[in-house]
Amino acid sequence: MTSPPQLLTDPFVQLPTETSVQIVWFTEFAGYGHIVTYGENLAQTALATTTQLKRIREDQNSRLGNQTQNGQVYQHPVQRDIWRHEAQITDLTPDTRVSYLVTSVREDGESVSSKVFTLAPKPSPGKPLKILLTSDHQIKPMVAANLQKVVETVGRVDAVWFAGDLVNIPDRASEWFDDHRGGAFFPCLQGRANYEMNSDGVKTIYSGGEIIQYAPMFTCIGNHEIMGRRDHGSLDDEFDATIPRTVALKFYGQESLKENSFNTDTYEEIFTLPQSQEGGKTYYAVSFGDVRLVVLYATNMWRTFNLDAEARGRYREREKDFNTPENWGYGQHIYEPIAKGSTQYNWLAQELNSPEFQQAKYKVVMLHHPPHTLGGNIVPAYTNPVQIIERDADGNIKAIRYEYPKDADFLIRDVVPLVEAAGVQLVFYGHSHLWNRFCSQSGMHFLETSNVGNSYGAAWGDNKREVPVGYKEDYAELGDPYGLEPVVPTIVPLLGEDGKPMPYIASNDITVFSIFDTGTGTVSSYRFDIRKPDSEVIKFDEFRLK
């Protein structure tokens, strides 16, 4: 007997326009007759287009099915067959929700349908919206609890803004769909998670929240959306093996450039997003209700701050690689140029002068890399690494170091002044796995709300960043390197060991989410202590956009 067919995901909403939306879902069979049934009495149908994901795989580090430890089932990366179905729903009425469900038919004629959800086109200006601000899920321990509490606290949101790092390894299928630990990307955002947490011997199962079945999600690229060179042993090794395109061109030539440098192929295959002519899905702008959201591609390769001889890090190369430059990491190299004069910067300047941007009530920029943070990932500066090779008298390499001139930080030097002059009220980002916020002298707000587990702390008090000593540049051990003071939460800040209010939350027990209410212009942040599963969600901070 063949088991009944199943959907790999519930359907989810993408790319709403004034009269249409895209509905997307996934299966593990190619099948046929994939349709969306929608409208009054579910009387209308739309046929889906089906494509197969090209790069998605499993490997020795997957947590899928019977593989509970490394290498039990998979000894190397293996292609996984997953199909994507997408249908366009048209002739919709603004601000009017309609019911829908999806149905897929397997090759043997057996069919499976989703539950009934509702969809709506792009909201009209003036309609008050609640938008979830989130980032850095990466199968972290508190994601399912976080998203479950979003729905329990504020109800159904109207959109999700996701500031990058959706999963850990973008080509590993189970991280998106069915990691058996229960916290994969789509299950958490669709209320289908099954993540168990223990506190004082009490087990609590969190299911996430039914969110993206109803609300469109707008995402940006973080460093965990990018895969590196193929065929490096495991998907983790491939992920770590990115090198700059200029270097890859020299080693491998133009023909196989992407395969031998880096790519965002799986991310772009999975999502249907707004597009710009210059950047495609990688950077774009979209109007949604009263908001103009500008999404940037601003991320670099994360490398360890470790300085020992075996570290292929942000500040040095491994000693064993000195004579094999194809194995160098090339520091925290930037994936997409954003400095003044680059294609992306010129696109941004043009967007900031557009009628759509200038006429919007709220102007928001979303990117992954933090312009201001107490987190560790703001050091070194967001700039191209300067490689310094030291040699002995015989010409042998003694050291390969990387410096990052602070005054050449592309975000602080070029991007922030540009968006501030254009009247942006909020810059939203992630990357450092904590909550903190800042406000510039002109009143532009900076918010980092990425605390869903695996926090690395804040550079505050006695907790210093690990930075090199004796290098040419001065790397900040504490605080925001660019001089902004963090804002203490306005309602119920957490207290430090000294009894004083802390301007951040960096915890692996307390999870945070933020909601932008366009009706009032307020951004509210909430926290929930997973050690106390029966406790209330606490609104601890709120600020209003001008």
Side-chain angles (χ1 to χ4, degrees), residues 133-138 140-147 164 428-436 447-458 494 502 504-514 525-530 540:
L133 312 181
T134 190
S135 74
D136 296 80
H137 287 188
Q138 300 176 246
K140 298 306 180 192
M142 297 191 289
V143 175
N146 181 289
L147 297 173
F428 164 55
Y429 46 92
H431 196 37
S432 285
H433 298 212
L434 46 68
W435 180 96
N436 56 182
L447 176 66
E448 180 173 15
T449 178
S450 56
N451 192 189
V452 290
N454 203 38
S455 180
Y456 307 107
L494 290 176
M502 297 193 300
Y504 65 89
I505 294 179
S507 169
N508 290 311
D509 299 309
I510 298 170
T511 188
V512 174
F513 62 87
S514 300
S525 292
Y526 301 80
R527 69 174 191 251
F528 173 67
D529 192 333
I530 57 147
F540 69 92

Side-chain angles (χ1 to χ4, degrees), residues 2 41 69 91 147 162 202 210 213 233 269 272 276 302 325-326 345 502 507 536 539:
T2 305
N41 300 318
Q69 296 177 2
D91 300 323
L147 297 173
F162 202 120
V202 177
E210 284 191 355
Q213 294 98 321
E269 283 183 353
T272 298
S276 64
W302 187 93
E326 64 271 21
Y345 180 94
M502 297 193 300
S507 169
E536 295 292 311
K539 179 160 70 168

Side-chain angles (χ1 to χ4, degrees), residues 135-358:
S135 74
D136 296 80
H137 287 188
Q138 300 176 246
I139 320 191
K140 298 306 180 192
M142 297 191 289
V143 175
N146 181 289
L147 297 173
Q148 183 171 317
K149 293 302 174 182
V150 168
V151 175
E152 291 176 3
T153 305
V154 301
R156 189 157 296 146
V157 298
D158 298 290
V160 179
W161 294 350
F162 202 120
D165 281 9
L166 287 69
V167 295
N168 276 315
I169 308 295
D171 280 5
R172 184 175 289 132
S174 49
E175 294 198 16
W176 293 101
F177 302 111
D178 50 7
D179 185 292
H180 66 50
R181 290 166 292 189
F185 178 81
F186 282 109
C188 283
L189 281 159
Q190 297 193 315
R192 295 157 59 110
N194 184 35
Y195 199 92
E196 181 182 297
M197 305 203 75
N198 290 292
S199 180
D200 297 328
V202 177
K203 293 181 180 179
T204 306
I205 304 292
Y206 292 101
S207 59
E210 284 191 355
I211 296 174
I212 58 174
Q213 294 98 321
Y214 302 91
M217 181 165 59
F218 300 101
T219 59
C220 78
I221 293 175
N223 52 301
H224 283 272
E225 275 63 73
I226 298 165
M227 287 297 290
R229 290 175 283 178
R230 286 289 291 257
D231 303 323
H232 270 65
S234 74
L235 295 177
D236 295 69
D237 292 337
E238 289 185 17
F239 172 78
D240 285 333
T242 70
I243 59 173
R245 291 256 161 88
T246 51
V247 174
L249 187 64
K250 185 172 65 175
F251 284 140
Y252 306 107
Q254 183 70 45
E255 198 168 302
S256 60
L257 189 60
K258 189 166 65 172
E259 292 294 322
N260 288 298
S261 55
F262 57 86
N263 72 85
T264 55
D265 287 8
T266 293
Y267 168 83
E268 294 190 55
E269 283 183 353
I270 285 176
F271 296 105
T272 298
L273 297 166
Q275 296 190 46
S276 64
Q277 186 174 346
E278 295 85 348
K281 295 178 181 180
T282 66
Y283 54 89
Y284 59 86
V286 62
S287 296
F288 194 79
D290 283 332
V291 187
R292 184 68 170 175
L293 175 66
V294 181
V295 177
L296 302 179
Y297 182 2
T299 191
N300 55 5
M301 179 62 197
W302 187 93
R303 297 217 183 273
T304 181
F305 44 74
N306 198 314
L307 289 168
D308 67 33
E310 291 306 304
R312 184 171 63 186
R314 60 186 70 171
Y315 302 112
R316 59 159 297 149
E317 296 289 0
R318 297 184 296 197
E319 289 184 6
K320 66 179 182 180
D321 292 337
F322 281 176
N323 295 312
T324 51
E326 64 271 21
N327 293 333
W328 294 353
Y330 297 91
Q332 293 201 158
H333 54 92
I334 290 173
Y335 291 116
E336 178 68 22
I338 200 170
K340 188 173 184 177
S342 67
T343 301
Q344 184 176 193
Y345 180 94
N346 292 341
W347 168 83
L348 174 60
Q350 189 175 3
E351 160 60 26
L352 299 178
N353 283 312
S354 70
E356 294 87 352
F357 178 87
Q358 297 196 345

Side-chain angles (χ1 to χ4, degrees), residues 360-373:
K361 183 177 182 181
Y362 298 113
K363 304 169 177 69
V364 181
V365 168
M366 179 169 73
L367 67 163
H368 183 63
H369 197 90
H372 296 284
T373 184

Side-chain angles (χ1 to χ4, degrees), residues 73-88:
V73 177
Y74 306 98
Q75 280 75 49
H76 53 83
V78 175
Q79 184 75 25
R80 185 170 170 194
D81 292 335
I82 292 175
W83 284 267
R84 181 185 192 270
H85 317 288
E86 178 173 13
Q88 184 177 50

